[in-house]
Amino acid sequence: MSTLPLNDLARRTFLRGAGLTALAIFGTAACSSAVDERHEAASSSAVPVRGGTLKTAIPLDVIPANFLTNTGAATTIIGLVYESLIRYPHDEVSPQPLLANSWELASDGLSLTLELRDDVTFHSGRPFTSADAEFSIKTYGDPKWTAQLKSTAAAITEFDTTDPHRLVLGFAHPLGNIFDLLDTVPILDSESIEQLATGEKFVGTGPFVLTDRTPNRSLTFERNENYWVAERPYLDRVEVAVIPDAQALVNSLRSGQVQAVTNINYRDSETLAAAGAHTATNLEGAELQIYVGTNVQNPALTDVRLRKAIAYALDRDRIVTEVFRGAGYPINLPWPKSSPAYDESLNSIYTTDPDRARALVAEVGSVPTLPLTYQAGNPYYEATAQIVQANLAAVGIEVVLDPVESAAFVKQLIGAQFKALWVTFHSWAQYTPSTLTVSAYPFNALKNASHYESPSYVTAADSAWQVTDGTSDDALERYAAVSKELLDGLFLIEIGVAFNQVVAANAVHGIGWTKRSEVILTEAFVA
Amino acid sequence: MTRYLLHKIPSAILVLFLASVLIFFVLRLVPGDAASTLAGPDATEESIAAIRSQLGLDKSIPAQYFSWLAGVLTFDLGRSFVIGGSISDLVVDGLTNTVVLTVSALLLAVVVSVTLSVASIVWPKRWLTALVNGANTVAIALPPFVSGVLLVLVFAVLLPVLPAGGIPPEGYWTRPDITVQYLMLPAICLALPVGAALTRFLTESLRSELRQPYITTARSLGVSQRDLVLQSALRNALPAAVTALGLQTGQLLGGAVLVEAIFAWPGIGQLIEQGISRRDYPVVQVLLLLSVSVFVLVQLLTDVVHAYLDPRIRIGGAS
């Protein structure tokens, strides 16, 4: 008992020490707060304000080696740093001027003359000329960059760049989708292309200059003071953090650490928008399609009746509503509503009709259990695959789920190694329809993941591609022939269109995008 | 001490060599490869073959192993297939972030566990013991992916007082006050299970020391409880706690992978995760080998500290 006073003293010392430590930590927090420094003064007025920083986040850093494949952070860099010769509006495939002022397509469809702007310079200070446009198209067509529209780039056989502000392209055959290529190819700087391949330098002509990149961590862009559009961009700076964890990405948006992100889970974007501080916008014009692919060499799936049974069994509305929270609509053909090939009547051929599906299954006879492959860990594929499994079970087709890692999935897709069925997204149907059949691998008439071979499909695809004007009545008829081939062959069973989304704090205005979901911040401001 | 160390080193080198073989060959068995991941879903076989030869993946696997080993031994770690930078830069960058995080967490764990266990032994009050035990149980039972998300929701979203994630934008040393705030949530999340395990361990060691005859003797001579614990029992309980700490450091590095993901902390854990999912072989090989090396080093260090604290070990006497 005699030790009590000492103990009391020691306890006091101990508590005092602990108190001081806590004060030291929270005291510094009181002086300057990391949270406050990350918040911008924000209101919801929509009058453009010059200056300020926009903070955004992306789940994956850029992969320099596949910069031209329109994936991951490449879309962020291309949207801010680079520009193309023309740009499509969201709702149609009619070219609008960008780095090219005007153009004229020869009446035989075998050449195109583009007049280029003469007031554009690269971020390095070098003026942009027709030789740069030639270099960019040729680089884009180089197989090592595995770019999507390289077959179209390869069909350009002549480049005339004698006038630095006029580019004349000569084609091997009429190219109905030539403007898709010109909308897609970013104008690259030939002097720094080696550094682009290693991720050290990204030099374009766009509204923002990439000033700092820490691999896997962050990208910093600053306003291009010599941008050819007067008074643009509004923002001084754009900071992009790389946050791979989906939950951490949502939390950074929710806590105000970043103000805008694309592609968070649809459910999260719905919750954030419902809470009132954020707005979710569908990237219309940059549609994706979710589909069930079939390997037509699988003994059971060789019979088109079974593929039709699957098409009748799918509950497309349920997938759009539950998985994509309504950010999309059901389809039978790949074309989104903005496509020249879109035909409402053709989209109601396969609606949910379990009785018909069961009848078709009965006609086919006994169906073995079919594996359904999808990328594990992706919430959309997982949920869609489960619904597809339930739909097919209801009509007597047993499906076993086969989740594989994304790297293995890509390998199986390219190698056409899927055993029976698979679920994934495709894109490129929002362009001139022929782009899909000559460029998107699952649809490629000559070689595709389904092992689908049909001379009439090849003819229809080629004829749609080799049309002079991709939006003429003649072209529309050829697209209708492609649609018929796709519906008859049914090697890919479309489920629905899904929109990418951008979710931004209400204080952020003017976010734009291209048909490839590249975010454009030329008109963006924080107010 | 030198002799003791020399005795320990050959086995460490053997472990490292075997690990390098295992890491290299096991990675090659994983389905999917870097070339097709890089090429993307619409690539042709030709472009994949071109990429494969560019990355050196067309050579035989033993040849790839030896050229890699030669590179590692001369500190030339090569370039990342996917991220595009030099691996040494990526590793140094990621490692700095991970070390800052784990060291902070370790310090926090040690300070809290020593304070709590000493406090609960010096003042053996029922409520204090119950409180410490309860807190320990919760801290050990909650995995980082639960405690991390809870911490973010409470301190970054509901009461926005701390950043939800990320590292200090201007570096660690420019503004220490800001750095502390960025570090606090991830460090607490990482330190919780380790601190709790250490507290339990140290409290038990202290209790058993207090039952030793020399303590009874000292107590009979009138030495206060506080002095008994701080001057005698603690010193004898520490060697065992240091071994436990070494093992917990391994836990700490493992836990860092999850904590880094939750708090968007761009460290080694995130680098490994991305390297594996994108088949970035060179990065994963270097990082796995690095983790094995860290484990081996920590174990070696623990042995040395142990030997220093307990002379019976270094002179080979019976303990």
Side-chain angles (χ1 to χ4, degrees):
Chain A
M1 292 303 270
S2 64
T3 55
L4 255 180
L6 237 183
N7 264 349
D8 263 2
L9 192 64
R11 188 187 306 168
R12 237 174 280 144
T13 322
F14 172 75
L15 290 174
R16 196 179 301 143
L20 281 175
T21 315
L23 192 70
I25 293 169
F26 288 102
T28 54
C31 297
S32 45
S33 152
V35 173
D36 292 345
E37 292 190 3
R38 290 221 125 182
H39 282 289
E40 299 257 342
S43 69
S44 54
S45 90
V47 182
V49 181
R50 181 58 195 88
T53 300
L54 179 71
K55 288 171 176 134
T56 72
I58 48 175
L60 283 178
D61 194 7
V62 61
I63 303 175
N66 66 15
F67 190 68
L68 298 178
T69 59
N70 303 100
T71 50
T75 56
T76 303
I77 298 183
I78 290 179
L80 300 184
V81 172
Y82 294 89
E83 288 171 306
S84 47
L85 292 178
I86 58 109
R87 184 165 285 160
Y88 282 148
H90 296 150
D91 52 351
E92 53 181 349
V93 285
S94 88
Q96 306 297 318
L98 196 61
L99 293 184
N101 275 322
S102 62
W103 46 87
E104 197 173 345
L105 190 65
S107 55
D108 60 0
L110 289 174
S111 75
L112 175 70
T113 306
L114 296 125
E115 304 294 335
L116 309 181
R117 297 193 69 92
D118 56 5
D119 54 352
V120 178
T121 54
F122 282 98
H123 299 158
S124 57
R126 194 170 62 81
F128 156 71
T129 65
S130 53
D132 295 304
E134 176 186 357
F135 171 79
S136 305
I137 295 173
K138 285 186 167 163
T139 306
Y140 187 88
D142 184 341
K144 89 166 188 187
W145 290 97
T146 64
Q148 199 85 30
L149 292 170
K150 64 176 181 300
S151 50
T152 305
I156 301 177
T157 45
E158 282 168 50
F159 292 85
D160 179 353
T161 56
T162 37
D163 182 333
H165 301 299
R166 175 179 299 143
L167 175 69
V168 184
L169 305 173
F171 311 141
H173 51 77
L175 286 174
N177 68 340
I178 179 63
F179 290 108
D180 292 8
L181 179 76
L182 301 183
D183 177 63
T184 304
V185 174
I187 297 302
L188 307 165
D189 171 38
S190 52
E191 288 178 351
S192 60
I193 191 73
E194 290 304 319
Q195 286 106 305
L196 188 150
T198 56
E200 290 158 81
K201 245 184 187 180
F202 298 87
V203 178
T205 60
F208 291 92
V209 182
L210 179 66
T211 50
D212 184 52
R213 170 178 181 241
T214 309
N216 259 354
R217 193 204 296 175
S218 64
L219 298 162
T220 308
F221 301 87
E222 275 171 31
R223 185 176 195 267
N224 174 5
E225 299 295 341
N226 302 314
Y227 190 49
W228 57 272
V229 181
E231 307 289 319
R232 296 291 187 285
Y234 290 123
L235 294 167
D236 280 338
R237 201 175 152 88
V238 178
E239 292 175 8
V240 182
V242 180
I243 304 181
D245 184 77
Q247 197 54 48
L249 192 66
V250 173
N251 284 336
S252 68
L253 187 65
R254 196 177 274 155
S255 67
Q257 207 167 339
V258 303
Q259 297 144 304
V261 297
T262 46
N263 296 342
I264 56 172
N265 198 319
Y266 291 90
R267 209 173 274 277
D268 287 325
S269 78
E270 195 181 29
T271 315
L272 280 167
H278 295 85
T279 310
T281 311
N282 289 340
L283 302 191
E284 291 190 19
E287 292 87 354
L288 297 171
Q289 288 76 14
I290 186 135
Y291 70 96
V292 179
T294 65
N295 174 359
V296 300
Q297 282 186 354
N298 176 294
L301 291 164
T302 309
D303 193 332
V304 74
R305 287 174 300 177
L306 188 62
R307 309 205 292 266
K308 284 190 173 157
I310 297 174
Y312 281 121
L314 295 179
D315 188 347
R316 295 177 175 79
D317 286 313
R318 179 178 170 201
I319 293 172
V320 170
T321 315
E322 288 185 12
V323 182
F324 301 102
R325 313 305 299 163
Y329 46 87
I331 46 170
N332 286 178
L333 278 165
W335 327 119
K337 286 180 178 166
S338 59
S339 166
Y342 182 78
D343 182 344
E344 181 69 50
S345 66
L346 295 181
N347 270 332
S348 47
I349 294 177
Y350 297 109
T351 47
T352 318
D353 190 344
D355 294 334
R356 211 154 162 184
R358 266 190 291 269
L360 283 164
V361 173
E363 275 180 41
V364 174
S366 77
V367 178
T369 302
L370 300 172
L372 171 62
T373 312
Y374 63 93
Q375 288 179 43
N378 175 310
Y380 321 132
Y381 300 145
E382 214 157 66
T384 306
Q386 284 164 354
I387 295 177
V388 170
Q389 184 189 34
N391 289 162
L392 296 188
V395 301
I397 304 171
E398 284 305 318
V399 163
V400 51
L401 297 183
D402 172 31
V404 296
E405 227 196 332
S406 93
F409 186 88
V410 168
K411 196 169 182 184
Q412 290 190 34
L413 182 68
I414 300 174
Q417 294 161 346
F418 293 120
K419 290 182 272 283
L421 303 172
W422 71 92
V423 163
T424 190
F425 280 131
H426 74 78
S427 181
W428 297 95
Q430 70 274 34
Y431 287 88
T432 305
S434 53
T435 287
L436 185 75
T437 49
V438 292
S439 299
Y441 178 58
F443 289 89
N444 197 306
L446 296 174
K447 182 175 174 292
N448 52 59
S450 300
H451 297 283
Y452 179 72
E453 290 168 16
S454 155
S456 58
Y457 179 49
V458 174
T459 314
D462 275 344
S463 141
W465 189 31
Q466 297 176 11
V467 65
T468 311
D469 177 357
T471 50
S472 62
D473 288 343
D474 175 29
L476 295 185
E477 272 176 36
R478 299 182 192 207
Y479 303 151
V482 173
S483 296
K484 185 175 177 308
E485 286 294 327
L486 288 172
L487 285 171
D488 289 349
L490 212 64
F491 55 102
L492 300 177
I493 303 160
E494 296 284 350
I495 297 174
V497 159
F499 292 110
N500 276 322
Q501 290 184 320
V502 56
V503 182
N506 292 341
V508 181
H509 306 270
I511 294 183
W513 61 88
T514 67
K515 282 181 107 62
R516 294 164 300 285
S517 301
E518 295 149 355
V519 169
I520 298 174
L521 298 176
T522 316
E523 303 286 332
F525 59 93
V526 182
Chain B
M1 182 61 99
T2 321
R3 221 185 67 216
Y4 176 75
L5 208 57
L6 281 177
H7 185 67
K8 289 267 170 192
I9 282 177
S11 66
I13 291 178
L14 185 70
V15 167
L16 284 179
F17 172 73
L18 290 179
S20 81
V21 174
L22 200 68
I23 288 165
F24 191 90
F25 289 94
V26 165
L27 264 186
R28 293 315 191 267
L29 294 179
V30 180
D33 77 309
S36 52
T37 310
L38 269 186
D42 290 292
T44 56
E45 290 292 343
E46 294 73 42
S47 0
I48 295 170
I51 295 172
R52 191 167 284 136
S53 114
Q54 198 181 329
L55 300 179
L57 293 173
D58 52 349
K59 286 190 261 173
S60 78
I61 287 182
Q64 290 181 42
Y65 172 74
F66 285 112
S67 72
W68 172 62
L69 198 64
V72 169
L73 291 177
T74 52
F75 295 100
D76 172 16
L77 303 182
R79 296 183 74 81
S80 152
F81 287 169
V82 175
I83 301 159
S86 112
I87 295 180
S88 8
D89 288 351
L90 288 174
V91 169
V92 168
D93 203 50
L95 200 60
T96 312
N97 295 331
T98 300
V99 166
V100 168
L101 178 60
T102 38
V103 167
S104 314
L106 197 64
L107 280 178
L108 196 66
V110 168
V111 168
V112 169
S113 61
V114 171
T115 316
L116 282 183
S117 38
V118 168
S120 65
I121 296 294
V122 173
W123 305 292
K125 295 274 190 283
R126 198 181 224 170
W127 64 267
L128 184 61
T129 316
L131 191 73
V132 170
N133 283 348
N136 274 344
T137 311
V138 171
I140 290 179
L142 273 186
F145 55 83
V146 174
S147 57
V149 171
L150 281 177
L151 284 171
V152 171
L153 286 181
V154 174
F155 294 104
V157 177
L158 287 179
L159 310 166
V161 287
L162 291 169
I167 55 169
E170 297 162 37
Y172 293 112
W173 303 113
T174 331
R175 309 265 304 273
D177 55 333
I178 295 289
T179 303
V180 169
Q181 294 171 54
Y182 274 94
L183 262 173
M184 208 176 292
L185 291 184
I188 289 176
C189 177
L190 193 55
L192 272 179
V194 176
L198 268 183
T199 311
R200 272 165 88 150
F201 194 89
L202 195 58
T203 315
E204 269 323 300
S205 307
L206 283 174
R207 280 206 188 106
S208 43
E209 278 305 319
L210 285 181
R211 285 194 291 269
Q212 297 290 324
Y214 75 93
I215 295 287
T216 317
T217 313
R219 186 171 281 146
S220 69
L221 291 173
V223 180
S224 71
Q225 170 83 349
R226 178 170 149 259
D227 286 351
L228 279 179
V229 174
L230 291 181
Q231 320 238 324
S232 311
L234 187 61
R235 191 174 155 78
N236 285 316
L238 270 185
V242 168
T243 311
L245 183 67
L247 291 172
Q248 290 296 325
T249 310
Q251 293 284 323
L252 212 56
L253 290 173
V257 177
L258 280 174
V259 174
E260 282 172 9
I262 297 166
F263 293 95
W265 193 270
I268 287 289
Q270 289 212 40
L271 202 58
I272 293 188
E273 197 270 329
Q274 288 185 31
I276 292 175
S277 63
R278 300 192 209 167
R279 303 292 184 272
D280 200 344
Y281 296 139
V283 172
V284 180
Q285 281 159 202
V286 167
L287 290 177
L288 290 184
L289 196 60
L290 190 75
S291 330
V292 177
S293 315
V294 169
F295 248 97
V296 169
L297 265 180
V298 167
Q299 287 303 315
L300 212 58
L301 202 69
T302 318
D303 285 350
V304 170
V305 173
H306 213 154
Y308 169 78
L309 287 175
D310 188 345
R312 285 170 300 186
I313 293 174
R314 63 174 180 270
I315 50 178
S319 53

